[in-house]
Amino acid sequence: MSTTRAWGTPAAHAPLAPMTVERRAPGAHDVAIDVLFCGVCHSDIHQARDEWGGAMFPMVPGHEIVGRVTRVGSAASKFHVGDLVGVGCMVDSCRACGPCGEGLEQFCEAGPAFTYNGTEMDRTTPTFGGYATHVVVDERYVVRVPDGLDPAGAAPLLCAGITTYSPLRQWNVKAGDRVGVVGLGGLGHMAVKLAKSMGAEVTVLSTSASKEADARRLGADHFKVTTDAASLESVRGKLNFIIDTVSAQHEYGPYLGLLAVRGTMVVVGVPPTPSAVPAFALIGGNRRLAGSLIGGIAETQEMLDHCAKHGIVSDVEVISIEKINEAYERVLKSDVRYRFVIDLASLRDAG
Ligand code: NAP
Ligand code: ZN
Ligand code: ZN
């Protein structure tokens, strides 16, 4: 065991503050990782504030981890000391069930070990995330960060990247497809970049008129302000695929109306309260409403390799750990361009 410096919260609605957590000594299949950067996902806020229910405290959030391997276990062969690696939302699963066998570890029938706000597979030992100086993770749940990707910009790929890449791939988005991205935040801006890299024509659907120039710089072909119903008329019935990344309560009906015949809207945003779905919005045009949860480990590696090939990283604002509570407030105001990333040197070097 080793004591690790971290920032976390003792209870819902308490601000994040310094704390220490215990990490296990690396076992045979483990790697020990010095965390360099950790992205700040809106899911961190939902969970630290127990907005989804069932949160476990104390909690150290953080599941967009990039770091360097400092030790490898006796049976670990995938990585060497010094390798730049990533850890996303999961740190273990049963490796025996159907979903695990299909590379869908996020749907492990035993329940995966989530990186924080969960337990190891023993269902007893709590897991603590990447707002910390180091982590110890089974190498089978660690991915390689390809050369050429900026480590800070790569961190958000571990959740925002895979969560948007996976549905774009599942629905086979390709050149010429018209894709709508609802919400231009951490996930949304990655969806724009990734959909463009697959050749799609991208429309950003945003509540923030001030984000138009950024949307176009990120690669979007069109920008619509969703609070202005008239601005949506030009895309009504036109989009083949929509990815909804919105974190707060909103109606799905108006977006479903933008889908072409047999178009699909995939929900990835997780507002704490449910929305009604009008049946007419689905049956007209045989439209489909679906969901998607992060992605498996192999697919996460595939996504990182895709990003390296296409020169894609997240647009980040790097912060010191002391700024984390302020960063949460800015995320809640949709004032993030487009992902906060914690530089863990600020914790490692703190007196
Ligand atoms: P984020 O950076 O806060 O982005 C969310 C965006 O949603 C905001 O930038 C804003 O974009 C829009 N928005 C916010 N409030 C809104 C409202 N009341 N009505 C309409 N639009 C609103 O959050 P994120 O980190 O991208 O995460 C987004 C959601 O995905 C969260 O709920 C998170 O928990 C969830 N998530 C899901 C998965 C998964 O596996 N499915 C993985 C990671 C995260 P505009 O300013 O452009 O309107
Ligand atoms: Zn996340
Ligand atoms: Zn399993």
Side-chain angles (χ1 to χ4, degrees), residues 275-313:
S275 289
V277 178
F280 278 114
L282 287 171
I283 65 173
N286 289 8
R287 296 179 176 118
R288 301 146 196 209
L289 180 61
S292 191
L293 178 70
I294 47 174
I297 299 298
E299 193 179 31
T300 302
Q301 186 65 62
E302 178 190 307
M303 175 276 307
L304 285 170
D305 295 343
H306 175 93
C307 287
K309 187 172 159 201
H310 293 270
I312 295 174
V313 287

mmCIF file of all heavy atoms in Angstrom, residues 275-313:
data_model
loop_
_atom_site.group_PDB
_atom_site.id
_atom_site.type_symbol
_atom_site.label_atom_id
_atom_site.label_comp_id
_atom_site.label_asym_id
_atom_site.label_seq_id
_atom_site.Cartn_x
_atom_site.Cartn_y
_atom_site.Cartn_z
ATOM 1 N N SER A 275 -36.716 12.637 -19.384
ATOM 2 C CA SER A 275 -37.512 13.468 -20.293
ATOM 3 C C SER A 275 -38.582 12.605 -20.944
ATOM 4 O O SER A 275 -38.323 11.436 -21.248
ATOM 5 C CB SER A 275 -36.639 14.021 -21.417
ATOM 6 O OG SER A 275 -35.771 14.987 -20.931
ATOM 7 N N ALA A 276 -39.732 13.187 -21.207
ATOM 8 C CA ALA A 276 -40.771 12.464 -21.940
ATOM 9 C C ALA A 276 -40.381 12.413 -23.417
ATOM 10 O O ALA A 276 -39.792 13.353 -23.940
ATOM 11 C CB ALA A 276 -42.099 13.191 -21.779
ATOM 12 N N VAL A 277 -40.681 11.282 -24.075
ATOM 13 C CA VAL A 277 -40.412 11.164 -25.516
ATOM 14 C C VAL A 277 -41.753 11.024 -26.219
ATOM 15 O O VAL A 277 -42.462 10.029 -26.027
ATOM 16 C CB VAL A 277 -39.542 9.929 -25.822
ATOM 17 C CG1 VAL A 277 -39.319 9.800 -27.326
ATOM 18 C CG2 VAL A 277 -38.209 10.032 -25.106
ATOM 19 N N PRO A 278 -42.147 12.003 -27.044
ATOM 20 C CA PRO A 278 -43.432 11.896 -27.731
ATOM 21 C C PRO A 278 -43.392 10.801 -28.799
ATOM 22 O O PRO A 278 -42.479 10.788 -29.640
ATOM 23 C CB PRO A 278 -43.619 13.273 -28.377
ATOM 24 C CG PRO A 278 -42.369 14.051 -28.115
ATOM 25 C CD PRO A 278 -41.401 13.210 -27.386
ATOM 26 N N ALA A 279 -44.354 9.875 -28.769
ATOM 27 C CA ALA A 279 -44.360 8.762 -29.733
ATOM 28 C C ALA A 279 -44.384 9.269 -31.174
ATOM 29 O O ALA A 279 -43.709 8.706 -32.043
ATOM 30 C CB ALA A 279 -45.566 7.858 -29.470
ATOM 31 N N PHE A 280 -45.111 10.346 -31.424
ATOM 32 C CA PHE A 280 -45.205 10.841 -32.805
ATOM 33 C C PHE A 280 -43.841 11.267 -33.352
ATOM 34 O O PHE A 280 -43.591 11.171 -34.534
ATOM 35 C CB PHE A 280 -46.209 11.995 -32.899
ATOM 36 C CG PHE A 280 -47.624 11.519 -33.004
ATOM 37 C CD1 PHE A 280 -48.539 11.771 -31.997
ATOM 38 C CD2 PHE A 280 -48.039 10.800 -34.139
ATOM 39 C CE1 PHE A 280 -49.853 11.302 -32.103
ATOM 40 C CE2 PHE A 280 -49.353 10.344 -34.251
ATOM 41 C CZ PHE A 280 -50.265 10.590 -33.232
ATOM 42 N N ALA A 281 -42.975 11.729 -32.460
ATOM 43 C CA ALA A 281 -41.653 12.169 -32.922
ATOM 44 C C ALA A 281 -40.827 10.985 -33.426
ATOM 45 O O ALA A 281 -39.906 11.153 -34.215
ATOM 46 C CB ALA A 281 -40.915 12.875 -31.797
ATOM 47 N N LEU A 282 -41.180 9.776 -32.957
ATOM 48 C CA LEU A 282 -40.434 8.580 -33.383
ATOM 49 C C LEU A 282 -41.088 7.882 -34.567
ATOM 50 O O LEU A 282 -40.409 7.430 -35.494
ATOM 51 C CB LEU A 282 -40.332 7.584 -32.218
ATOM 52 C CG LEU A 282 -39.375 7.965 -31.099
ATOM 53 C CD1 LEU A 282 -39.539 7.003 -29.930
ATOM 54 C CD2 LEU A 282 -37.933 7.948 -31.588
ATOM 55 N N ILE A 283 -42.427 7.755 -34.528
ATOM 56 C CA ILE A 283 -43.076 6.918 -35.552
ATOM 57 C C ILE A 283 -43.091 7.596 -36.913
ATOM 58 O O ILE A 283 -42.979 6.927 -37.933
ATOM 59 C CB ILE A 283 -44.487 6.461 -35.128
ATOM 60 C CG1 ILE A 283 -45.435 7.642 -34.993
ATOM 61 C CG2 ILE A 283 -44.444 5.665 -33.836
ATOM 62 C CD1 ILE A 283 -46.879 7.199 -34.734
ATOM 63 N N GLY A 284 -43.171 8.927 -36.939
ATOM 64 C CA GLY A 284 -43.086 9.618 -38.221
ATOM 65 C C GLY A 284 -41.662 9.488 -38.728
ATOM 66 O O GLY A 284 -40.730 9.952 -38.080
ATOM 67 N N GLY A 285 -41.483 8.820 -39.879
ATOM 68 C CA GLY A 285 -40.133 8.664 -40.427
ATOM 69 C C GLY A 285 -39.364 7.480 -39.865
ATOM 70 O O GLY A 285 -38.165 7.362 -40.117
ATOM 71 N N ASN A 286 -40.051 6.590 -39.113
ATOM 72 C CA ASN A 286 -39.352 5.430 -38.529
ATOM 73 C C ASN A 286 -38.044 5.856 -37.853
ATOM 74 O O ASN A 286 -36.990 5.255 -38.058
ATOM 75 C CB ASN A 286 -39.045 4.354 -39.582
ATOM 76 C CG ASN A 286 -40.288 3.643 -40.048
ATOM 77 O OD1 ASN A 286 -41.400 4.039 -39.707
ATOM 78 N ND2 ASN A 286 -40.118 2.601 -40.840
ATOM 79 N N ARG A 287 -38.136 6.900 -37.083
ATOM 80 C CA ARG A 287 -36.921 7.410 -36.455
ATOM 81 C C ARG A 287 -36.547 6.564 -35.247
ATOM 82 O O ARG A 287 -37.406 5.916 -34.643
ATOM 83 C CB ARG A 287 -37.130 8.862 -36.040
ATOM 84 C CG ARG A 287 -37.348 9.762 -37.244
ATOM 85 C CD ARG A 287 -37.572 11.194 -36.807
ATOM 86 N NE ARG A 287 -37.695 12.068 -37.957
ATOM 87 C CZ ARG A 287 -38.785 12.778 -38.252
ATOM 88 N NH1 ARG A 287 -39.856 12.708 -37.490
ATOM 89 N NH2 ARG A 287 -38.806 13.556 -39.316
ATOM 90 N N ARG A 288 -35.276 6.590 -34.910
ATOM 91 C CA ARG A 288 -34.768 5.730 -33.843
ATOM 92 C C ARG A 288 -34.099 6.571 -32.767
ATOM 93 O O ARG A 288 -33.369 7.512 -33.072
ATOM 94 C CB ARG A 288 -33.736 4.750 -34.409
ATOM 95 C CG ARG A 288 -34.315 3.872 -35.499
ATOM 96 C CD ARG A 288 -33.282 3.553 -36.556
ATOM 97 N NE ARG A 288 -33.952 3.042 -37.757
ATOM 98 C CZ ARG A 288 -33.424 2.203 -38.619
ATOM 99 N NH1 ARG A 288 -32.202 1.752 -38.451
ATOM 100 N NH2 ARG A 288 -34.102 1.805 -39.669
ATOM 101 N N LEU A 289 -34.343 6.168 -31.536
ATOM 102 C CA LEU A 289 -33.703 6.821 -30.384
ATOM 103 C C LEU A 289 -32.901 5.751 -29.665
ATOM 104 O O LEU A 289 -33.436 4.686 -29.341
ATOM 105 C CB LEU A 289 -34.773 7.405 -29.458
ATOM 106 C CG LEU A 289 -34.290 8.120 -28.197
ATOM 107 C CD1 LEU A 289 -33.427 9.330 -28.536
ATOM 108 C CD2 LEU A 289 -35.484 8.569 -27.343
ATOM 109 N N ALA A 290 -31.622 5.999 -29.460
ATOM 110 C CA ALA A 290 -30.739 4.981 -28.883
ATOM 111 C C ALA A 290 -29.837 5.629 -27.842
ATOM 112 O O ALA A 290 -29.857 6.847 -27.649
ATOM 113 C CB ALA A 290 -29.901 4.336 -29.981
ATOM 114 N N GLY A 291 -29.064 4.796 -27.158
ATOM 115 C CA GLY A 291 -28.119 5.306 -26.170
ATOM 116 C C GLY A 291 -26.765 4.643 -26.344
ATOM 117 O O GLY A 291 -26.654 3.621 -27.043
ATOM 118 N N SER A 292 -25.751 5.210 -25.726
ATOM 119 C CA SER A 292 -24.420 4.603 -25.802
ATOM 120 C C SER A 292 -23.614 4.988 -24.572
ATOM 121 O O SER A 292 -23.650 6.144 -24.140
ATOM 122 C CB SER A 292 -23.709 5.064 -27.085
ATOM 123 O OG SER A 292 -22.542 4.303 -27.309
ATOM 124 N N LEU A 293 -22.930 4.009 -23.996
ATOM 125 C CA LEU A 293 -22.128 4.221 -22.786
ATOM 126 C C LEU A 293 -20.650 4.000 -23.110
ATOM 127 O O LEU A 293 -20.272 2.896 -23.545
ATOM 128 C CB LEU A 293 -22.575 3.249 -21.684
ATOM 129 C CG LEU A 293 -21.789 3.319 -20.374
ATOM 130 C CD1 LEU A 293 -22.080 4.613 -19.628
ATOM 131 C CD2 LEU A 293 -22.108 2.121 -19.489
ATOM 132 N N ILE A 294 -19.856 5.001 -22.928
ATOM 133 C CA ILE A 294 -18.395 5.007 -23.180
ATOM 134 C C ILE A 294 -18.025 4.059 -24.316
ATOM 135 O O ILE A 294 -18.587 4.150 -25.413
ATOM 136 C CB ILE A 294 -17.579 4.783 -21.877
ATOM 137 C CG1 ILE A 294 -18.109 3.616 -21.039
ATOM 138 C CG2 ILE A 294 -17.599 6.077 -21.072
ATOM 139 C CD1 ILE A 294 -17.258 3.253 -19.811
ATOM 140 N N GLY A 295 -17.111 3.118 -24.094
ATOM 141 C CA GLY A 295 -16.704 2.141 -25.106
ATOM 142 C C GLY A 295 -15.802 1.136 -24.421
ATOM 143 O O GLY A 295 -15.338 1.383 -23.294
ATOM 144 N N GLY A 296 -15.549 0.018 -25.071
ATOM 145 C CA GLY A 296 -14.710 -1.024 -24.477
ATOM 146 C C GLY A 296 -13.227 -0.643 -24.538
ATOM 147 O O GLY A 296 -12.850 0.380 -25.117
ATOM 148 N N ILE A 297 -12.408 -1.488 -23.938
ATOM 149 C CA ILE A 297 -10.971 -1.185 -23.847
ATOM 150 C C ILE A 297 -10.317 -1.217 -25.236
ATOM 151 O O ILE A 297 -9.581 -0.296 -25.609
ATOM 152 C CB ILE A 297 -10.271 -2.177 -22.879
ATOM 153 C CG1 ILE A 297 -10.869 -2.055 -21.463
ATOM 154 C CG2 ILE A 297 -8.764 -1.931 -22.871
ATOM 155 C CD1 ILE A 297 -10.712 -0.705 -20.803
ATOM 156 N N ALA A 298 -10.587 -2.261 -26.016
ATOM 157 C CA ALA A 298 -9.962 -2.346 -27.348
ATOM 158 C C ALA A 298 -10.429 -1.184 -28.214
ATOM 159 O O ALA A 298 -9.640 -0.608 -28.987
ATOM 160 C CB ALA A 298 -10.299 -3.686 -27.996
ATOM 161 N N GLU A 299 -11.710 -0.846 -28.095
ATOM 162 C CA GLU A 299 -12.225 0.268 -28.902
ATOM 163 C C GLU A 299 -11.610 1.598 -28.458
ATOM 164 O O GLU A 299 -11.414 2.508 -29.276
ATOM 165 C CB GLU A 299 -13.752 0.323 -28.795
ATOM 166 C CG GLU A 299 -14.370 1.243 -29.844
ATOM 167 C CD GLU A 299 -15.884 1.300 -29.781
ATOM 168 O OE1 GLU A 299 -16.453 1.163 -28.690
ATOM 169 O OE2 GLU A 299 -16.502 1.495 -30.848
ATOM 170 N N THR A 300 -11.285 1.716 -27.176
ATOM 171 C CA THR A 300 -10.631 2.934 -26.676
ATOM 172 C C THR A 300 -9.242 3.067 -27.301
ATOM 173 O O THR A 300 -8.827 4.156 -27.713
ATOM 174 C CB THR A 300 -10.554 2.909 -25.137
ATOM 175 O OG1 THR A 300 -11.886 2.785 -24.626
ATOM 176 C CG2 THR A 300 -9.938 4.188 -24.592
ATOM 177 N N GLN A 301 -8.529 1.921 -27.400
ATOM 178 C CA GLN A 301 -7.214 1.967 -28.066
ATOM 179 C C GLN A 301 -7.383 2.333 -29.541
ATOM 180 O O GLN A 301 -6.622 3.146 -30.077
ATOM 181 C CB GLN A 301 -6.499 0.611 -27.921
ATOM 182 C CG GLN A 301 -5.079 0.635 -28.455
ATOM 183 C CD GLN A 301 -4.184 1.562 -27.642
ATOM 184 O OE1 GLN A 301 -3.984 1.348 -26.458
ATOM 185 N NE2 GLN A 301 -3.668 2.622 -28.266
ATOM 186 N N GLU A 302 -8.388 1.734 -30.181
ATOM 187 C CA GLU A 302 -8.663 2.046 -31.598
ATOM 188 C C GLU A 302 -8.932 3.546 -31.775
ATOM 189 O O GLU A 302 -8.438 4.174 -32.721
ATOM 190 C CB GLU A 302 -9.881 1.218 -32.046
ATOM 191 C CG GLU A 302 -10.319 1.457 -33.470
ATOM 192 C CD GLU A 302 -11.679 0.783 -33.743
ATOM 193 O OE1 GLU A 302 -11.819 -0.431 -33.477
ATOM 194 O OE2 GLU A 302 -12.594 1.485 -34.213
ATOM 195 N N MET A 303 -9.703 4.124 -30.840
ATOM 196 C CA MET A 303 -10.021 5.553 -30.909
ATOM 197 C C MET A 303 -8.750 6.394 -30.770
ATOM 198 O O MET A 303 -8.546 7.364 -31.512
ATOM 199 C CB MET A 303 -11.031 5.873 -29.803
ATOM 200 C CG MET A 303 -11.422 7.315 -29.619
ATOM 201 S SD MET A 303 -10.298 8.295 -28.579
ATOM 202 C CE MET A 303 -10.207 7.313 -27.082
ATOM 203 N N LEU A 304 -7.873 6.018 -29.822
ATOM 204 C CA LEU A 304 -6.631 6.785 -29.643
ATOM 205 C C LEU A 304 -5.777 6.710 -30.906
ATOM 206 O O LEU A 304 -5.181 7.706 -31.335
ATOM 207 C CB LEU A 304 -5.850 6.255 -28.439
ATOM 208 C CG LEU A 304 -6.411 6.634 -27.071
ATOM 209 C CD1 LEU A 304 -5.707 5.852 -25.969
ATOM 210 C CD2 LEU A 304 -6.273 8.133 -26.808
ATOM 211 N N ASP A 305 -5.715 5.530 -31.514
ATOM 212 C CA ASP A 305 -4.923 5.376 -32.744
ATOM 213 C C ASP A 305 -5.544 6.202 -33.873
ATOM 214 O O ASP A 305 -4.830 6.810 -34.672
ATOM 215 C CB ASP A 305 -4.825 3.893 -33.122
ATOM 216 C CG ASP A 305 -4.047 3.089 -32.082
ATOM 217 O OD1 ASP A 305 -3.324 3.710 -31.259
ATOM 218 O OD2 ASP A 305 -4.170 1.849 -32.067
ATOM 219 N N HIS A 306 -6.876 6.231 -33.930
ATOM 220 C CA HIS A 306 -7.576 7.052 -34.925
ATOM 221 C C HIS A 306 -7.223 8.532 -34.714
ATOM 222 O O HIS A 306 -6.944 9.266 -35.672
ATOM 223 C CB HIS A 306 -9.088 6.827 -34.802
ATOM 224 C CG HIS A 306 -9.921 7.697 -35.692
ATOM 225 N ND1 HIS A 306 -10.346 7.303 -36.944
ATOM 226 C CD2 HIS A 306 -10.387 8.964 -35.522
ATOM 227 C CE1 HIS A 306 -11.045 8.287 -37.495
ATOM 228 N NE2 HIS A 306 -11.082 9.306 -36.660
ATOM 229 N N CYS A 307 -7.240 8.958 -33.456
ATOM 230 C CA CYS A 307 -6.932 10.367 -33.149
ATOM 231 C C CYS A 307 -5.491 10.703 -33.526
ATOM 232 O O CYS A 307 -5.217 11.793 -34.050
ATOM 233 C CB CYS A 307 -7.192 10.656 -31.670
ATOM 234 S SG CYS A 307 -8.959 10.722 -31.290
ATOM 235 N N ALA A 308 -4.573 9.771 -33.262
ATOM 236 C CA ALA A 308 -3.168 10.025 -33.636
ATOM 237 C C ALA A 308 -3.046 10.157 -35.150
ATOM 238 O O ALA A 308 -2.370 11.053 -35.663
ATOM 239 C CB ALA A 308 -2.285 8.899 -33.110
ATOM 240 N N LYS A 309 -3.741 9.289 -35.868
ATOM 241 C CA LYS A 309 -3.681 9.308 -37.341
ATOM 242 C C LYS A 309 -4.228 10.622 -37.898
ATOM 243 O O LYS A 309 -3.715 11.149 -38.883
ATOM 244 C CB LYS A 309 -4.501 8.121 -37.860
ATOM 245 C CG LYS A 309 -4.400 7.891 -39.339
ATOM 246 C CD LYS A 309 -5.088 6.588 -39.715
ATOM 247 C CE LYS A 309 -5.441 6.610 -41.200
ATOM 248 N NZ LYS A 309 -6.497 5.664 -41.506
ATOM 249 N N HIS A 310 -5.272 11.125 -37.255
ATOM 250 C CA HIS A 310 -5.939 12.329 -37.768
ATOM 251 C C HIS A 310 -5.517 13.603 -37.028
ATOM 252 O O HIS A 310 -6.088 14.673 -37.276
ATOM 253 C CB HIS A 310 -7.458 12.154 -37.692
ATOM 254 C CG HIS A 310 -7.971 11.103 -38.630
ATOM 255 N ND1 HIS A 310 -8.356 11.376 -39.931
ATOM 256 C CD2 HIS A 310 -8.115 9.766 -38.466
ATOM 257 C CE1 HIS A 310 -8.736 10.249 -40.516
ATOM 258 N NE2 HIS A 310 -8.610 9.253 -39.649
ATOM 259 N N GLY A 311 -4.563 13.491 -36.107
ATOM 260 C CA GLY A 311 -4.086 14.669 -35.385
ATOM 261 C C GLY A 311 -5.150 15.306 -34.508
ATOM 262 O O GLY A 311 -5.246 16.530 -34.413
ATOM 263 N N ILE A 312 -5.947 14.469 -33.860
ATOM 264 C CA ILE A 312 -7.056 14.985 -33.043
ATOM 265 C C ILE A 312 -6.725 14.886 -31.558
ATOM 266 O O ILE A 312 -6.390 13.807 -31.057
ATOM 267 C CB ILE A 312 -8.347 14.177 -33.324
ATOM 268 C CG1 ILE A 312 -8.809 14.390 -34.767
ATOM 269 C CG2 ILE A 312 -9.449 14.564 -32.335
ATOM 270 C CD1 ILE A 312 -9.977 13.517 -35.164
ATOM 271 N N VAL A 313 -6.819 16.025 -30.869
ATOM 272 C CA VAL A 313 -6.841 16.028 -29.402
ATOM 273 C C VAL A 313 -7.961 16.970 -28.976
ATOM 274 O O VAL A 313 -8.562 17.657 -29.811
ATOM 275 C CB VAL A 313 -5.495 16.471 -28.773
ATOM 276 C CG1 VAL A 313 -4.431 15.409 -28.901
ATOM 277 C CG2 VAL A 313 -5.033 17.805 -29.348
#
